[in-house]
C-alpha cells in the first residue's frame, strides 16, 4: 500500500535524506492513525549547523529497504500479536436487551479487560471511543509504584524501567499512538502525570497528537494542574502537591461542555489541619451560575479516611473524574481507561450515564474495579448506560471457563490462541497455521488425545489436503498416540503418505512459541491458569464478632501465591465487598492480609462470600453460610 508523502513532515525529510521514492505503511488497519506534520514547529535552524532534530516520537520506526520506506511505527519495540478474548464472567443486571451490539461492544455490554493494554487496544476498532483518560504508572524507579503486586504488574514494571526515561517514553508512546487511533474525530485523550515525567510526556504527546497552539490545530488543548494539600510534607523542599493533566484532542473539533462543570468557591481558603496532614481548604460547589474552572483544579486528593478510599496510593478522587467526564463527553458516549487501577473512571462513567471500556494487567485491579461498578449500580440503582458488563481475559486464560465451552467454540479459541485460522470444513481439521492443518482435542483438561485421533487426523490431512504435515493441540496425549505419530513419521523416505505430526500440549512452551519468540518481554503473555483453592476457617471471638482465616488457601498455578482477598459479609446473589474489605494489606510487610475480623450488625443467618486472587491471574469466589451468635 502506498501513500502520499506530503503530509508527513518526518517522511519528507527522510525521503530526501534516504533517497527513496516510495513510502510503504505496513498495516492498512491503522491507516488514519498518523503522527502529524511537525514542519512548522521543527524547523532546521540553519545558523546552528546540522544539529539533530527529533520530530518523531521516541520508538517510532522508519525502515528503509531497496529504495522503499516501511513505517513500522512502534512495532520494532512492540511486535504485534493477536490473541482471542476469553469472556470469563458477565455481570447481568437484567437490562441487556436494550443495548445494541457494535464492533466495540460485541456482547452489548461494557467491557473490563484483564491483560496488557497495548495488545488489547490493537484489537479494538478505530474511531470508536469518545474520551480516553489514563493514569499510567509514574516514572518513579523500579518497583517503587507497584500497587497491587501480582506478577503481571511486577513484570511490566521491570520492562518499563529498562532504559530509564527513554524506555519509559517508548513504552508509553506505543500505547498513546494506539489511543489516537481509537478515539473518534471529536474525541479527547487526557493523561494524568506527576512531576517525574509530565514534561517529557508532553513533548512526546505533542509529537503524536500535535502541538495544538491555536483553535484550528489538532492536538494539545490544556495543561491542567490538579492541586491538593493532603499527604506527607518534607521539610527541605516545597511539598509536591500537584499533578499535571495533559488534554489533547484528536482533531481541531472537540467536545467541551463548560456548563455542567461551572463552580462557585466557598469557605475561607484557610488550611484545616488534622494531625500532621492538611486535609482541606477552599471548597467549591457545582453551580450553574458560577464560572468554568481555571486550568488549575483545587480538588482534594483522597485522604486516608475518605469513604471512597480502597487502600492503594494512586487512587484518584471521584470529583476529578466527574469534572473530566462531564467536560469532555456527553451522555451515552464511550469512556475508556486502559490503566484502570481501582476503577474510578468506569465507576464515574457508569454513574454519569456513559458507556465504558476498562483495562488493567493486574487481576486484583480488575477484581476491585468489577466490585466498584457493581456497587455503583446497586447503590444508585442507575440502570442506564448498559449496566451489564463482561470481564474478558486476554492472554492469561482460565482453564475451568475454557472447559465449559461447547466443543466448536473451544476448538476455535485454541486455534486462535495458537496463532492459526479456525476452519470448519472437515470434522477432523479444525484450523490451519501457515497452511499446516490443526486438530484440537476436547475441552476437558483431563482428556487425552488417543492413537485413534492421531490416525484419523493423519488420514484427513493426507486425503483432504495432500499434505504431510499437521499439528495436534490438546491438554494431554496418551503414550500410544505419541507412538502412533512416530510410526507415521518414520514412513518418510519409504512411502509418500508419511505424515509428520507435531503433538503440542496446551500448557507447554511449544504452544506459546509464536508469542514468546516475537519479543523477550512476551514470554508470559500466553498462559492458562487455574483458580486458587480457597479454604476458610472462622471462629467466634465475642458477641457477633468473628475472625475469618483464609491463610490456608493455595494457588494452583506455577510460582503462584495468594495475592489478595476480598470479603462480602452479607452476600446476596451478587458479590459486592463490605466497605474496607477489598484490598487489605499488612501495615508492616505490605503483604496481603489473609486473616480478618468482622463485627456483624446482628445475630442470625448470614451468607459470606470471599473472592481470592493469586499472583498469576487466577481467581475464585467461595460462598459459605454462617449462623452468627
Ligand atoms: C496509577 S494506577 C491507576 C489508578 C487509577 N487511576 C485509580 O484511580 O484507581 C496504574 C494502573 O495501570 C496498570 N498498568 C500498568 N501497565 C499496564 C499495562 N501495560 N496494561 C494494562 N494496565 C497496566 C497497573 O496495574 C495499575 O493498576
Amino acid at each position: 500500500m502506498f501513500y502520499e508523502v506530503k503530509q508527513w513532515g518526518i517522511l519528507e525529510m527522510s525521503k530526501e535524506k534516504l533517497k527513496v521514492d516510495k513510502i510503504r505503511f505496513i498495516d492498512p488497519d491503522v491507516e488514519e492513525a498518523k503522527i502529524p506534520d511537525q514542519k512548522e514547529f521543527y524547523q532546521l535552524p540553519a545558523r546552528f549547523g546540522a544539529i539533530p532534530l527529533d520530530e518523531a516520537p521516541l520508538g517510532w520506526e522508519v525502515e528503509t529497504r531497496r529504495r522503499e520506506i516501511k513505517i513500522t511505527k512502534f512495532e520494532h519495540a512492540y511486535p504485534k500479536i493477536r490473541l482471542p478474548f476469553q469472556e470469563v464472567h458477565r455481570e447481568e443486571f437484567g437490562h441487556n436487551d436494550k443495548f445494541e451490539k457494535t464492533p466495540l461492544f460485541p456482547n452489548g455490554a461494557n467491557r473490563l479487560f484483564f491483560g496488557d493494554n497495548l495488545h488489547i487496544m490493537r484489537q479494538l476498532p478505530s474511531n470508536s471511543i469518545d474520551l480516553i483518560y489514563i493514569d499510567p504508572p509514574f516514572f518513579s524507579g523500579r518497583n517503587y509504584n507497584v500497587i497491587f503486586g501480582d506478577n503481571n504488574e511486577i513484570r511490566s514494571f521491570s520492562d518499563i524501567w529498562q532504559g530509564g526515561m527513554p524506555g519509559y517514553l517508548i513504552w508509553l508512546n506505543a500505547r498513546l499512538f494506539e489511543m489516537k487511533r481509537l478515539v473518534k474525530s471529536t474525541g479527547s485523550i487526557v493523561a494524568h502525570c506527576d512531576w517525574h515525567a509530565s514534561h517529557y510526556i508532553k513533548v512526546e504527546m505533542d509529537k503524536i497528537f500535535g502541538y495544538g497552539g491555536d483553535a484550528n490545530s489538532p492536538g494539545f488543548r490544556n495543561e491542567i494542574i490538579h492541586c491538593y494539600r493532603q499527604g506527607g510534607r518534607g521539610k527541605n523542599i516545597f511539598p509536591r502537591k500537584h499533578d499535571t493533566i495533559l488534554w489533547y484532542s484528536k482533531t481541531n473539533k472537540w467536545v467541551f461542555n463548560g456548563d455542567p462543570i461551572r463552580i462557585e468557591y466557598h469557605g475561607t481558603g484557610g488550611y484545616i489541619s488534622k494531625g500532621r496532614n492538611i486535609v482541606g481548604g477552599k471548597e467549591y460547589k457545582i453551580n450553574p451560575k458560577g464560572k468554568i474552572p481555571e486550568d488549575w483544579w483545587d480538588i482534594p486528593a483522597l485522604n486516608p479516611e475518605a469513604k471512597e478510599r480502597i487502600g492503594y496510593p494512586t487512587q484518584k478522587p471521584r470529583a476529578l473524574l466527574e469534572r473530566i467526564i462531564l467536560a469532555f463527553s456527553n451522555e451515552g458516549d464511550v469512556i475508556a481507561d486502559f490503566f484502570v487501577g481501582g476503577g474510578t473512571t468506569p465507576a464515574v462513567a457508569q454513574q454519569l450515564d456513559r458507556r465504558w471500556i476498562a483495562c488493567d494487567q493486574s487481576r486484583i485491579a480488575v477484581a476491585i474495579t468489577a466490585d466498584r461498578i457493581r456497587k455503583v449500580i446497586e447503590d444508585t440503582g442507575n440502570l442506564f448506560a448498559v449496566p451489564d458488563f463482561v470481564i474478558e481475559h486476554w492472554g492469561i486464560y482460565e482453564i475451568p471457563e475454557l472447559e465449559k465451552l461447547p466443543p466448536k467454540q473451544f476448538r476455535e479459541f485454541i486455534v486462535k490462541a495458537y496463532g492459526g485460522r479456525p476452519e470448519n470444513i472437515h470434522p477432523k481439521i479444525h484450523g490451519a497455521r501457515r497452511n499446516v492443518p490443526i486438530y484440537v482435542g476436547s475441552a476437558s483438561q483431563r482428556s487425552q488425545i488417543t492413537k485413534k485421533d492421531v490416525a484419523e487426523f493423519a488420514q484427513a490431512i493426507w486425503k483432504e489436503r495432500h499434505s504431510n504435515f499437521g499439528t495436534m493441540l490438546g491438554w494431554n496425549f496418551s503414550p500410544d498416540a505419541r507412538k502412533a505419530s512416530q510410526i507415521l513419521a518414520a514412513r518418510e523416505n519409504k512411502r509418500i503418505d508419511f505424515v509428520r505430526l507435531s503433538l503440542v500440549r496446551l500448557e507447554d512452551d511449544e504452544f506459546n512459541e509464536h508469542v514468546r519468540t516475537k519479543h523477550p518481554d512476551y514470554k508470559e503473555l500466553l498462559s492458562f491458569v487455574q483458580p486458587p483453592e480457597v479454604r476458610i476457617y472462622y471462629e467466634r471471638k465475642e458477641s457477633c464478632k468473628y475472625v475469618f482465616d483464609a491463610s490456608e488457601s493455595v494457588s494452583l498455578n506455577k510460582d503462584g501465591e495468594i495475592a489478595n482477598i476480598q470479603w462480602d459479609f452479607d452476600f446476596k446473589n451478587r458479590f459486592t465487598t463490605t466497605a474496607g474489605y477489598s484490598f487489605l494489606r499488612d501495615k508492616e510487610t505490605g503483604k496481603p492480609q489473609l486473616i480478618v475480623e468482622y463485627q456483624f450488625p446482628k445475630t442470625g443467618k448470614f451468607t459470606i462470600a470471599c473472592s481470592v486472587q493469586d499472583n498469576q491471574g487466577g481467581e475464585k469466589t467461595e460462598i459459605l453460610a454462617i449462623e452468627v451468635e
Side-chain angles (χ1 to χ4, degrees):
M1 191 161 218
F2 302 101
Y3 281 73
E4 259 288 276
V5 180
K6 278 194 201 109
Q7 53 196 335
W8 297 69
I10 169 180
L11 295 184
E12 289 270 291
M13 266 179 52
S14 316
K15 206 178 105 190
E16 249 164 57
K17 240 194 298 179
L18 302 168
K19 300 195 173 44
V20 294
D21 39 37
K22 277 184 196 162
I23 308 276
R24 187 140 84 105
F25 298 92
I26 60 161
D27 191 345
D29 275 3
V30 289
E31 192 181 321
E32 30 59 67
K34 303 165 190 160
I35 56 169
D37 185 351
Q38 313 274 2
K39 252 192 314 193
E40 279 185 23
F41 189 58
Y42 285 88
Q43 288 177 30
L44 276 173
R47 70 196 175 97
F48 296 131
I51 60 156
L53 274 186
D54 223 352
E55 58 183 283
L58 280 171
W60 180 264
E61 292 269 2
V62 180
E63 238 179 44
T64 315
R65 251 194 245 150
R66 289 201 217 115
R67 300 185 59 74
E68 192 177 305
I69 291 183
K70 216 174 169 192
I71 309 291
T72 48
K73 299 164 189 163
F74 295 95
E75 280 159 38
H76 265 181
Y78 296 101
K80 267 196 176 169
I81 45 170
R82 283 184 86 80
L83 291 173
F85 292 112
Q86 181 194 21
E87 185 178 318
V88 299
H89 180 72
R90 181 174 181 128
E91 194 70 50
E92 293 195 6
F93 292 83
H95 283 235
N96 48 336
D97 50 344
K98 260 208 250 165
F99 307 106
E100 66 178 295
K101 297 180 178 175
T102 64
L104 183 63
F105 296 110
N107 301 314
N110 290 324
R111 300 174 87 179
L112 172 54
F113 293 110
F114 167 47
D116 186 307
N117 54 17
L118 174 64
H119 304 289
I120 288 173
M121 283 192 280
R122 282 177 172 168
Q123 287 184 225
L124 300 180
S126 305
N127 293 314
S128 55
I129 296 174
D130 296 279
L131 168 66
I132 300 180
Y133 167 85
I134 56 161
D135 171 20
F138 297 147
F139 180 79
S140 58
R142 215 184 169 87
N143 286 359
Y144 172 75
N145 63 19
V146 166
I147 302 167
F148 300 106
D150 37 342
N151 262 28
N152 303 307
E153 191 190 10
I154 293 172
R155 200 181 51 245
S156 119
F157 271 93
S158 31
D159 300 343
I160 299 169
W161 312 131
Q162 270 177 37
M165 184 61 80
Y168 173 76
L169 294 172
I170 292 170
W171 173 87
L172 190 59
N173 280 350
R175 286 160 175 85
L176 289 166
F177 182 70
E178 269 328 292
M179 292 177 202
K180 180 173 177 181
R181 181 179 67 79
L182 294 181
V183 284
K184 293 182 188 164
S185 60
T186 52
S188 286
I189 290 155
V190 175
H192 199 129
C193 321
D194 81 345
W195 62 271
H196 293 94
S198 65
H199 40 310
Y200 293 103
I201 294 173
K202 169 144 193 327
V203 172
E204 296 303 306
M205 288 186 83
D206 283 351
K207 294 180 198 168
I208 294 172
F209 297 101
Y211 182 66
D214 59 63
N216 294 321
S217 319
F220 177 75
R221 302 266 74 90
N222 266 137
E223 176 185 59
I224 299 160
I225 302 302
H226 169 214
C227 36
Y228 44 87
R229 300 176 181 82
Q230 293 76 8
R233 309 191 141 233
K235 290 211 176 88
N236 303 329
I237 55 164
F238 296 109
R240 294 185 179 124
K241 296 292 163 197
H242 79 269
D243 291 346
T244 302
I245 297 173
L246 301 169
W247 168 32
Y248 286 79
S249 62
K250 177 157 168 175
T251 66
N252 59 0
K253 291 194 177 57
W254 60 87
V255 171
F256 182 76
N257 301 315
D259 286 344
I261 56 165
R262 285 180 186 273
I263 53 168
E264 189 182 43
Y265 283 101
H266 289 264
T268 60
Y271 292 139
I272 304 161
S273 170
K274 201 166 189 187
R276 280 185 59 236
N277 292 334
I278 309 288
V279 295
K282 227 174 191 179
E283 281 192 1
Y284 72 84
K285 286 214 164 69
I286 300 270
N287 180 348
K289 294 204 184 97
K291 58 179 181 176
I292 292 175
E294 295 77 7
D295 61 0
W296 48 268
W297 296 358
D298 192 355
I299 296 182
L302 291 181
N303 67 49
E305 291 99 52
K307 239 179 101 195
E308 63 181 277
R309 187 164 193 101
I310 290 163
Y312 57 91
T314 51
Q315 187 185 346
K316 296 295 174 285
R318 299 181 64 96
L320 181 92
L321 267 304
E322 258 159 34
R323 187 175 287 175
I324 290 172
I325 291 174
L326 286 170
F328 304 135
S329 72
N330 296 308
E331 263 183 33
D333 278 359
V334 180
I335 314 296
D337 186 339
F338 293 101
F339 295 92
V340 76
T344 315
T345 310
V348 175
Q350 178 78 46
Q351 200 161 5
L352 294 174
D353 294 344
R354 270 75 169 167
R355 306 192 66 172
W356 54 265
I357 294 277
C359 172
D360 206 287
Q361 63 180 3
S362 152
R363 189 64 188 82
I364 303 174
V366 168
I368 294 176
T369 298
D371 180 53
R372 205 127 171 236
I373 307 291
R374 285 189 287 257
K375 277 207 181 104
V376 166
I377 297 173
E378 293 207 333
D379 290 354
T380 59
N382 183 0
L383 287 173
F384 177 72
V386 196
D388 283 10
F389 66 90
V390 285
I391 299 180
E392 290 174 72
H393 284 210
W394 183 94
I396 295 182
Y397 301 120
E398 279 192 6
I399 294 171
E401 291 303 314
L402 285 175
E403 289 184 300
K404 284 185 207 156
L405 289 177
K408 182 167 173 277
Q409 257 170 283
F410 174 75
R411 291 196 294 254
E412 278 181 13
F413 186 93
I414 296 298
V415 168
K416 283 189 194 159
Y418 186 61
R421 218 177 346 93
E423 270 180 29
N424 207 7
I425 306 163
H426 188 278
K428 299 288 166 194
I429 300 177
H430 305 138
R433 190 173 83 175
R434 289 190 220 103
N435 282 333
V436 176
I438 299 173
Y439 172 92
V440 183
S442 54
S444 161
Q445 208 199 6
R446 265 169 285 156
S447 67
Q448 283 194 332
I449 288 182
T450 61
K451 178 177 154 189
K452 185 166 168 264
D453 299 325
V454 170
E456 284 174 357
F457 179 53
Q459 220 169 38
I461 54 176
W462 173 247
K463 278 206 177 137
E464 298 290 318
R465 299 289 164 87
H466 304 292
S467 164
N468 298 93
F469 299 94
T471 304
M472 297 189 90
L473 306 173
W475 294 113
N476 302 292
F477 293 88
S478 69
D480 62 0
R482 294 213 175 264
K483 213 155 149 210
S485 78
Q486 282 158 8
I487 294 170
L488 286 170
R491 296 199 302 216
E492 194 174 353
N493 299 328
K494 290 185 213 138
R495 292 170 54 160
I496 55 159
D497 65 346
F498 81 91
V499 180
R500 186 171 287 284
L501 296 179
S502 318
L503 307 189
V504 181
R505 281 189 70 243
L506 301 183
E507 289 171 284
D508 284 351
D509 278 357
E510 220 184 322
F511 182 77
N512 65 19
E513 197 181 50
H514 68 108
V515 172
R516 251 185 322 118
T517 49
K518 284 236 166 144
H519 193 281
D521 294 345
Y522 288 6
K523 58 181 178 299
E524 283 162 84
L525 276 187
L526 172 56
S527 62
F528 297 98
V529 293
Q530 286 286 6
E533 192 174 304
V534 180
R535 296 180 200 146
I536 308 167
Y537 303 97
Y538 62 90
E539 197 185 337
R540 182 175 177 272
K541 281 206 98 181
E542 50 193 71
S543 173
C544 290
K545 193 171 188 175
Y546 282 71
V547 174
F548 291 89
D549 182 348
S551 58
E552 296 280 302
S553 304
V554 281
S555 165
L556 301 180
N557 297 310
K558 189 166 166 272
D559 301 327
E561 274 174 35
I562 302 300
N564 191 46
I565 305 201
Q566 303 171 306
W567 298 91
D568 179 353
F569 292 108
D570 191 13
F571 177 81
K572 296 207 171 81
N573 300 324
R574 205 186 293 288
F575 186 88
T576 45
T577 55
T578 302
Y581 287 87
S582 69
F583 185 64
L584 283 166
R585 288 293 176 265
D586 184 285
K587 287 211 173 66
E588 266 155 37
T589 61
K591 295 217 155 143
Q593 200 179 312
L594 307 182
I595 304 174
V596 295
E597 259 186 19
Y598 184 68
Q599 173 88 46
F600 288 88
K602 55 178 190 211
T603 56
K605 285 192 166 64
F606 277 84
T607 306
I608 313 268
C610 163
S611 182
V612 179
Q613 296 98 39
D614 74 13
N615 61 353
Q616 305 293 328
E619 192 196 44
K620 171 100 185 263
T621 302
E622 197 72 27
I623 298 167
L624 66 130
I626 146 169
E627 181 80 45
V628 174
E629 292 168 7

